[in-house]
Amino acid sequence: LLTMADVATRTAATSQDTVANVKVLSTHEARELVDTSPALSSGSHLAQALSTLDPTAKAARKGTAWYQQYEEPGQTYKEYVATAPKVMHPHRLQPNRRVIYLQPIEPCFQQSGYFADQSPDLNVLAQLLTAYLPGIKVTLLKPWLLRAPASSKAKAELIVSDGCYDLSCRKAKEGHWQYALGDIADALIYKLPDDAWCKMAVSMQDHYEDEDDVFCMGRAWGASRIGCLGFQRYWTFSPPASAIKPTTTPATGPRSKRSKRTKATPPAKVEISHVNTLTYRCCKTVLHEVLHCFLLDHCIVGECLMNTTGNLEEDFRAPLRLCLEDLRKLVYTTGCDVVARYTELERLYQRLPAFESDARQAAKLLLAAQRDASEQ
C-alpha cells in the first residue's frame, strides 16, 4: 500500500503532464470541436459501437427506482451548451482552475496513510480521474478526523485543519451512525482553494441528506463545486451475483460468440479482492458526482455513468462508460481528444483486475474512434 506522500507525488506528476498537454478552448472553439468531430456524430463508428454495448431503451431507464421517485427530464447536449454563458463559463476548464481535491475523512482511513484493509485505493481513484477527465489534476489532502457522538442526543465532530464542525447524525436501522451531508458540505465550501475545480470528501461512513432517506451514498453540489460521499454500504453489503463476474487476463480472457481462437486455452483467473471491488464501486460513484460539477445532469437515454440509481443493485449495474450524448458534453467542457482519452483509459483499465470488462469495452470504443478519425 502506498503512503499518502507516495500517492500525492505520483499523482501530481502524472496530472501535471496531462494539464500541460491540454489546450484551453473558447466557447466557440469548443462547440466547433464537438460539431466537427467525426467520432461524435450520430452515424459514427463510435456511436455504433456504443449502441452495441447499450441495447437498453430510454423507456427502460425510466424504470429505475430513482426516476420513479423524481421523474427527471434528462439533459441533451443542445440543452447543455444552451445553458446561460454566465452560468456555464465557470464550469468549463480554466488554465488556473483544474484541480480536483480529494478530502479523506478519518477514521475510515488510517492516520499513517490513506489506506486500510476496508478502504478504497485512492491511488487508483486519482489515476482514473486524470484519465477519464483529460486536463484535470488530482491532489490528495491530509485526512480530516470524524469523532462519533458520545450519545444519541449529542452531535458528532468533524475536526479539520483549522477548526471543528458539529455534525448532525442519527442511528441507522442497522445500528451504525449516519452523518448529515449538509453539515459536511459547510466544511468543504469554507476556504475552497482558488485553483479547485471541485473538492470531494470521501469516507467509509454512511450518510443521509433528508430525514426520510434510508441512506444517501453521496451528493455533489455542482454550482458550489463540492461533493461528499460515504462508502460504508459498498463494503458492508455484498453485490448481487450478477454484478461480480470472474475476471481473466486480457491474453486468455473469455471469448465472445464471434471470436475465434487457435488453442483451447482455459482462462487464467485473476483474484479480485473485496478491496478491488470496493475501489471499483467507489470510482464510479466519485466520477458520477464529479461530472455533476461539470453541470452534467442525470442521463435517461441509455446505459451511462450518469444514470440515476435508487438502490444498491442499480448502483452496482451502472456502467463506467459515458453515452454519446454525455461524451459530447465532456469534450465540450474539457476540449479533450476522443482517441487520446480512450487510449489512456484502455491502458489504465488493463492494469486493474476489477476493470477488465471496461478494458475490453475501451478497446472496442478506441478502435471505433480511430476508424472515425482515419476517415475524416
Side-chain angles (χ1 to χ4, degrees), residues 181-317:
L181 285 172
D183 291 346
I184 299 176
D186 290 340
L188 285 169
I189 203 169
Y190 181 66
K191 292 185 179 179
L192 186 68
D194 292 337
D195 62 351
W197 180 258
C198 62
K199 187 175 182 180
M200 310 297 290
V202 292
S203 77
M204 286 299 294
Q205 303 302 321
D206 200 20
H207 297 300
Y208 69 97
E209 184 174 13
D210 300 319
E211 288 299 329
D212 58 350
D213 290 339
V214 175
F215 71 94
C216 184
M217 197 65 67
R219 178 183 169 180
W221 290 262
S224 300
R225 311 198 309 278
I226 59 171
C228 179
L229 304 103
F231 301 124
Q232 178 171 329
R233 290 174 187 262
Y234 280 170
W235 181 268
T236 305
F237 296 92
S238 298
S242 60
I244 302 299
K245 299 179 180 179
T247 301
T248 61
T249 59
T252 57
R255 53 181 172 174
S256 66
K257 294 181 179 179
R258 295 184 180 181
S259 67
K260 296 181 180 180
R261 185 175 299 171
T262 56
K263 296 182 180 180
T265 306
K269 298 296 182 181
V270 174
E271 180 68 21
I272 299 183
S273 69
H274 207 156
V275 172
N276 294 143
T277 303
L278 170 66
T279 299
Y280 183 77
R281 297 173 187 168
C282 294
C283 283
K284 288 198 303 182
T285 302
V286 171
L287 272 169
H288 177 103
E289 298 304 333
V290 166
L291 284 170
H292 281 317
C293 294
F294 285 85
L295 296 189
L296 271 69
D297 287 346
H298 286 144
C299 175
I300 61 172
V301 174
E303 295 292 334
C304 177
L305 176 65
M306 295 309 294
N307 288 154
T308 59
T309 60
N311 54 54
L312 288 175
E313 186 173 352
E314 291 177 357
D315 189 297
F316 297 150
R317 288 201 308 264

Side-chain angles (χ1 to χ4, degrees), residues 27 76 110 119 125 164 233 243 264 270 276 296 317 337 345 348:
T27 300
T76 67
Q110 296 176 344
S119 300
L125 173 58
C164 181
R233 290 174 187 262
V270 174
N276 294 143
L296 271 69
R317 288 201 308 264
D337 179 84
L345 286 174
L348 177 60

Side-chain angles (χ1 to χ4, degrees), residues 309-367:
T309 60
N311 54 54
L312 288 175
E313 186 173 352
E314 291 177 357
D315 189 297
F316 297 150
R317 288 201 308 264
L320 185 54
R321 67 182 179 275
L322 290 176
C323 67
L324 188 65
E325 198 80 350
D326 283 330
L327 181 59
R328 289 177 179 138
K329 300 172 191 176
L330 184 64
V331 172
Y332 173 80
T333 191
T334 65
C336 68
D337 179 84
V338 175
V339 172
R341 177 177 177 272
Y342 280 126
T343 299
E344 291 302 314
L345 286 174
E346 184 193 13
R347 290 174 181 169
L348 177 60
Y349 294 158
Q350 286 180 344
R351 301 198 305 267
L352 306 172
F355 292 73
E356 189 261 350
S357 175
D358 298 286
R360 293 198 303 270
Q361 292 182 14
K364 180 177 182 179
L365 298 177
L366 172 59
L367 180 61

